[in-house]
Amino acid sequence: DAKTTQPPSMDCAEGRAANLPCNHSTISGNEYVYWYRQIHSQGPQYIIHGLKNNETNEMASLIITEDRKSSTLILPHATLRDTAVYYCIVRVGRDDKIIFGKGTRLHILP
Amino acid sequence: EPEVTQTPSHQVTQMGQEVILRCVPISNHLYFYWYRQILGQKVEFLVSFYNNEISEKSEIFDDQFSVERPDGSNFTLKIRSTKLEDSAMYFCASSTEGRQFFGPGTRLTVL
Protein backbone atom coordinates (compact mmCIF):
# COMPACT_ATOMS: atom_id res chain seq x y z
CA ASP A 1 0.00 0.00 0.00
CA ALA A 2 1.06 3.56 -0.67
CA LYS A 3 2.47 5.30 2.39
CA THR A 4 1.32 8.74 1.36
CA THR A 5 -1.89 10.76 1.44
CA GLN A 6 -2.73 13.27 -1.28
CA PRO A 7 -5.88 15.22 -2.14
CA PRO A 8 -7.71 13.53 -5.02
CA SER A 9 -7.87 16.67 -7.14
CA MET A 10 -6.83 20.30 -7.30
CA ASP A 11 -7.33 23.24 -9.62
CA CYS A 12 -4.81 25.93 -10.45
CA ALA A 13 -5.01 28.93 -12.75
CA GLU A 14 -2.60 29.01 -15.65
CA GLY A 15 0.49 31.07 -14.84
CA ARG A 16 0.07 30.70 -11.11
CA ALA A 17 2.11 28.48 -8.81
CA ALA A 18 0.63 25.04 -8.23
CA ASN A 19 1.28 23.73 -4.71
CA LEU A 20 0.58 20.05 -4.30
CA PRO A 21 0.64 18.71 -0.73
CA CYS A 22 1.54 15.23 0.44
CA ASN A 23 1.41 13.65 3.89
CA HIS A 24 3.83 10.86 4.73
CA SER A 25 3.62 10.78 8.52
CA THR A 26 5.13 7.27 8.83
CA ILE A 27 8.19 7.99 6.71
CA SER A 28 11.40 6.37 7.93
CA GLY A 29 14.71 8.14 8.25
CA ASN A 30 16.18 6.42 5.21
CA GLU A 31 13.19 6.91 2.90
CA TYR A 32 13.25 9.42 0.07
CA VAL A 33 10.27 11.45 -1.13
CA TYR A 34 9.74 11.18 -4.88
CA TRP A 35 7.30 12.95 -7.16
CA TYR A 36 6.17 11.62 -10.52
CA ARG A 37 3.38 12.67 -12.81
CA GLN A 38 1.35 10.96 -15.50
CA ILE A 39 -0.07 12.98 -18.33
CA HIS A 40 -3.09 11.25 -19.84
CA SER A 41 -2.20 7.73 -21.07
CA GLN A 42 1.53 8.50 -21.17
CA GLY A 43 4.22 6.81 -19.12
CA PRO A 44 4.87 8.27 -15.67
CA GLN A 45 7.46 11.03 -15.65
CA TYR A 46 10.02 11.68 -12.91
CA ILE A 47 9.84 15.18 -11.49
CA ILE A 48 12.00 15.51 -8.40
CA HIS A 49 13.08 13.76 -5.21
CA GLY A 50 14.61 14.61 -1.85
CA LEU A 51 15.57 13.21 1.53
CA LYS A 52 15.65 16.09 4.00
CA ASN A 53 16.55 19.30 2.26
CA ASN A 54 14.47 21.31 -0.13
CA GLU A 55 15.24 20.61 -3.75
CA THR A 56 14.79 22.53 -6.98
CA ASN A 57 15.26 21.57 -10.59
CA GLU A 58 14.11 22.86 -13.94
CA MET A 59 10.65 21.38 -13.48
CA ALA A 60 9.71 22.03 -9.88
CA SER A 61 10.65 22.65 -6.27
CA LEU A 62 10.19 20.21 -3.41
CA ILE A 63 9.69 21.51 0.10
CA ILE A 64 10.01 18.91 2.88
CA THR A 65 9.00 19.85 6.41
CA GLU A 66 11.61 19.64 9.13
CA ASP A 67 9.94 16.59 10.71
CA ARG A 68 9.70 15.06 7.21
CA LYS A 69 6.07 14.10 7.75
CA SER A 70 4.84 16.13 4.82
CA SER A 71 6.05 17.78 1.66
CA THR A 72 4.86 20.13 -1.05
CA LEU A 73 5.60 20.02 -4.75
CA ILE A 74 5.62 23.46 -6.32
CA LEU A 75 5.23 24.06 -10.03
CA PRO A 76 6.17 27.74 -10.15
CA HIS A 77 4.30 28.84 -13.27
CA ALA A 78 1.71 26.24 -14.22
CA THR A 79 0.79 25.79 -17.86
CA LEU A 80 -1.97 23.76 -19.49
CA ARG A 81 0.61 21.07 -20.24
CA ASP A 82 1.01 20.51 -16.49
CA THR A 83 -2.48 19.00 -16.33
CA ALA A 84 -1.76 15.49 -15.05
CA VAL A 85 -2.01 13.10 -12.13
CA TYR A 86 0.79 13.80 -9.64
CA TYR A 87 2.10 11.02 -7.43
CA CYS A 88 3.98 11.46 -4.17
CA ILE A 89 5.93 8.32 -3.32
CA VAL A 90 8.24 7.30 -0.50
CA ARG A 91 10.93 4.72 -1.19
CA VAL A 92 13.83 3.23 0.70
CA GLY A 93 16.07 1.84 -1.98
CA ARG A 94 16.92 4.10 -4.83
CA ASP A 95 16.32 1.34 -7.35
CA ASP A 96 13.27 -0.14 -5.66
CA LYS A 97 10.01 -0.63 -7.45
CA ILE A 98 7.58 2.28 -7.33
CA ILE A 99 4.25 1.74 -5.63
CA PHE A 100 1.80 4.20 -7.12
CA GLY A 101 -1.18 5.44 -5.15
CA LYS A 102 -4.10 7.35 -6.61
CA GLY A 103 -2.25 10.66 -6.71
CA THR A 104 -3.65 14.16 -7.17
CA ARG A 105 -5.36 15.05 -10.41
CA LEU A 106 -4.23 18.60 -11.16
CA HIS A 107 -6.38 20.67 -13.50
CA ILE A 108 -4.79 23.81 -14.89
CA LEU A 109 -7.49 26.31 -15.76
CA PRO A 110 -7.00 28.74 -18.65
CA GLU B 1 17.87 13.49 -24.03
CA PRO B 2 17.95 9.67 -24.00
CA GLU B 3 14.60 7.97 -23.55
CA VAL B 4 13.08 4.54 -23.07
CA THR B 5 11.35 3.24 -26.19
CA GLN B 6 8.71 0.54 -26.49
CA THR B 7 7.29 -1.43 -29.39
CA PRO B 8 4.66 -1.93 -30.56
CA SER B 9 2.59 1.02 -29.40
CA HIS B 10 -0.56 -1.08 -29.70
CA GLN B 11 -0.92 -4.87 -29.82
CA VAL B 12 -4.17 -6.68 -30.45
CA THR B 13 -4.26 -10.41 -29.82
CA GLN B 14 -6.65 -13.28 -29.35
CA MET B 15 -7.13 -14.85 -25.95
CA GLY B 16 -4.71 -17.72 -25.45
CA GLN B 17 -2.07 -16.32 -27.80
CA GLU B 18 1.45 -15.44 -26.79
CA VAL B 19 2.63 -11.85 -26.97
CA ILE B 20 6.05 -10.29 -26.59
CA LEU B 21 6.35 -6.65 -25.64
CA ARG B 22 9.64 -5.01 -26.37
CA CYS B 23 11.55 -2.24 -24.66
CA VAL B 24 14.86 -0.53 -25.24
CA PRO B 25 16.03 0.94 -21.92
CA ILE B 26 18.38 3.89 -21.66
CA SER B 27 21.80 2.57 -22.53
CA ASN B 28 23.80 3.09 -19.33
CA HIS B 29 21.01 2.06 -16.96
CA LEU B 30 21.32 -1.15 -14.98
CA TYR B 31 17.87 -1.65 -13.49
CA PHE B 32 14.83 -2.44 -15.58
CA TYR B 33 11.14 -2.73 -14.76
CA TRP B 34 7.76 -3.58 -16.15
CA TYR B 35 4.53 -2.01 -14.90
CA ARG B 36 0.98 -2.23 -16.14
CA GLN B 37 -2.06 0.00 -15.93
CA ILE B 38 -5.53 -1.34 -16.51
CA LEU B 39 -7.80 1.35 -17.92
CA GLY B 40 -8.91 3.74 -15.20
CA GLN B 41 -6.78 2.09 -12.51
CA LYS B 42 -3.44 2.66 -10.81
CA VAL B 43 -0.07 1.87 -12.31
CA GLU B 44 0.97 -1.52 -10.89
CA PHE B 45 4.46 -2.97 -10.53
CA LEU B 46 5.08 -6.28 -12.26
CA VAL B 47 8.77 -7.11 -12.11
CA SER B 48 12.24 -5.66 -11.69
CA PHE B 49 15.38 -6.98 -13.34
CA TYR B 50 19.03 -6.47 -12.51
CA ASN B 51 22.23 -8.21 -13.51
CA ASN B 52 20.37 -10.52 -15.87
CA GLU B 53 17.95 -11.84 -13.33
CA ILE B 54 14.66 -10.98 -11.70
CA SER B 55 15.25 -9.02 -8.50
CA GLU B 56 11.62 -8.70 -7.45
CA LYS B 57 8.20 -9.61 -8.81
CA SER B 58 4.64 -8.93 -7.77
CA GLU B 59 1.74 -11.34 -7.29
CA ILE B 60 0.52 -10.37 -10.74
CA PHE B 61 3.69 -11.74 -12.33
CA ASP B 62 2.73 -15.39 -12.36
CA ASP B 63 4.01 -18.28 -14.47
CA GLN B 64 2.36 -16.84 -17.57
CA PHE B 65 4.80 -13.94 -17.53
CA SER B 66 8.50 -13.94 -18.24
CA VAL B 67 11.16 -11.32 -18.89
CA GLU B 68 14.36 -11.49 -20.82
CA ARG B 69 17.24 -9.34 -21.88
CA PRO B 70 18.19 -11.19 -25.04
CA ASP B 71 20.98 -8.83 -26.03
CA GLY B 72 22.68 -5.71 -24.75
CA SER B 73 19.85 -3.38 -25.61
CA ASN B 74 16.41 -5.05 -25.56
CA PHE B 75 14.30 -5.97 -22.56
CA THR B 76 11.20 -8.04 -23.25
CA LEU B 77 8.04 -9.07 -21.45
CA LYS B 78 6.37 -12.24 -22.66
CA ILE B 79 2.86 -13.33 -21.80
CA ARG B 80 2.50 -16.98 -22.75
CA SER B 81 -1.26 -17.39 -22.95
CA THR B 82 -3.07 -14.10 -22.80
CA LYS B 83 -6.32 -13.65 -20.90
CA LEU B 84 -8.94 -10.97 -21.30
CA GLU B 85 -7.83 -9.43 -18.02
CA ASP B 86 -4.32 -8.89 -19.40
CA SER B 87 -5.68 -6.02 -21.47
CA ALA B 88 -3.82 -2.97 -20.18
CA MET B 89 -1.08 -0.44 -20.88
CA TYR B 90 2.31 -1.96 -20.19
CA PHE B 91 5.13 0.40 -19.28
CA CYS B 92 8.81 -0.39 -19.28
CA ALA B 93 11.19 1.66 -17.15
CA SER B 94 14.90 1.85 -16.51
CA SER B 95 16.67 3.45 -13.60
CA THR B 96 19.74 5.41 -12.67
CA GLU B 97 20.58 7.20 -9.42
CA GLY B 98 17.13 6.51 -8.05
CA ARG B 99 15.24 8.01 -10.96
CA GLN B 100 13.07 5.71 -13.05
CA PHE B 101 12.45 6.72 -16.63
CA PHE B 102 9.35 5.28 -18.24
CA GLY B 103 8.63 4.45 -21.83
CA PRO B 104 5.48 5.55 -23.66
CA GLY B 105 3.83 2.19 -23.12
CA THR B 106 2.29 -0.60 -25.19
CA ARG B 107 -1.46 -0.87 -25.20
CA LEU B 108 -2.35 -4.56 -25.17
CA THR B 109 -5.87 -5.51 -26.17
CA VAL B 110 -6.90 -9.13 -25.70
CA LEU B 111 -10.03 -10.18 -27.59
Side-chain angles (χ1 to χ4, degrees):
Chain A
D1 291 332
K3 300 179 185 179
T4 62
T5 304
Q6 299 178 251
S9 67
M10 290 182 65
D11 292 338
C12 178
E14 189 177 17
R16 303 296 296 270
N19 295 276
L20 291 91
C22 179
N23 286 321
H24 31 79
S25 58
T26 60
I27 192 170
S28 302
N30 58 349
E31 287 182 313
Y32 289 79
V33 179
Y34 281 79
W35 284 84
Y36 282 78
R37 73 181 181 183
Q38 187 177 26
I39 296 169
H40 180 64
S41 294
Q42 297 182 21
Q45 179 187 21
Y46 166 83
I47 301 173
I48 198 166
H49 75 281
L51 183 63
K52 295 181 190 177
N53 300 321
N54 299 337
E55 303 286 344
T56 296
N57 63 20
E58 64 278 5
M59 288 183 70
S61 294
L62 173 60
I63 308 298
I64 302 174
T65 57
E66 195 169 339
D67 63 8
R68 302 207 327 124
K69 292 185 177 181
S70 65
S71 60
T72 301
L73 177 75
I74 301 172
L75 307 178
H77 304 288
T79 71
L80 296 177
R81 289 177 295 179
D82 292 321
T83 294
V85 179
Y86 287 77
Y87 300 98
C88 171
I89 295 149
V90 295
R91 297 162 71 202
V92 175
R94 299 177 74 186
D95 298 299
D96 276 357
K97 63 183 182 287
I98 295 174
I99 299 176
F100 289 90
K102 294 183 180 179
T104 295
R105 186 172 296 277
L106 177 65
H107 300 277
I108 305 300
L109 307 174
Chain B
E1 184 172 312
E3 55 186 26
V4 176
T5 59
Q6 291 185 242
T7 54
S9 57
H10 192 186
Q11 175 90 46
V12 181
T13 189
Q14 295 290 326
M15 188 170 56
Q17 295 297 303
E18 174 184 286
V19 294
I20 297 176
L21 309 183
R22 291 182 166 79
C23 168
V24 179
I26 296 172
S27 62
N28 62 340
H29 289 187
L30 300 178
Y31 292 83
F32 314 115
Y33 313 81
W34 283 101
Y35 295 80
R36 79 171 187 190
Q37 186 174 32
I38 295 170
L39 186 64
Q41 298 186 22
K42 295 185 290 185
V43 177
E44 301 173 288
F45 167 75
L46 292 178
V47 65
S48 57
F49 192 86
Y50 171 72
N51 201 25
N52 281 321
E53 61 182 26
I54 290 173
S55 50
E56 187 173 359
K57 59 184 180 180
S58 72
E59 293 177 351
I60 302 168
F61 195 89
D62 60 23
D63 292 344
Q64 293 299 314
F65 290 88
S66 62
V67 289
E68 194 176 40
R69 190 155 160 82
D71 53 41
S73 60
N74 290 288
F75 180 51
T76 62
L77 174 70
K78 182 192 291 186
I79 309 175
R80 286 187 184 80
S81 178
T82 50
K83 303 188 272 273
L84 295 176
E85 54 264 37
D86 293 327
S87 293
M89 282 289 287
Y90 288 80
F91 295 109
C92 172
S94 65
S95 173
T96 185
E97 299 178 341
R99 295 172 294 165
Q100 284 189 26
F101 294 85
F102 287 76
T106 293
R107 180 171 298 282
L108 176 65
T109 301
V110 182
L111 303 177

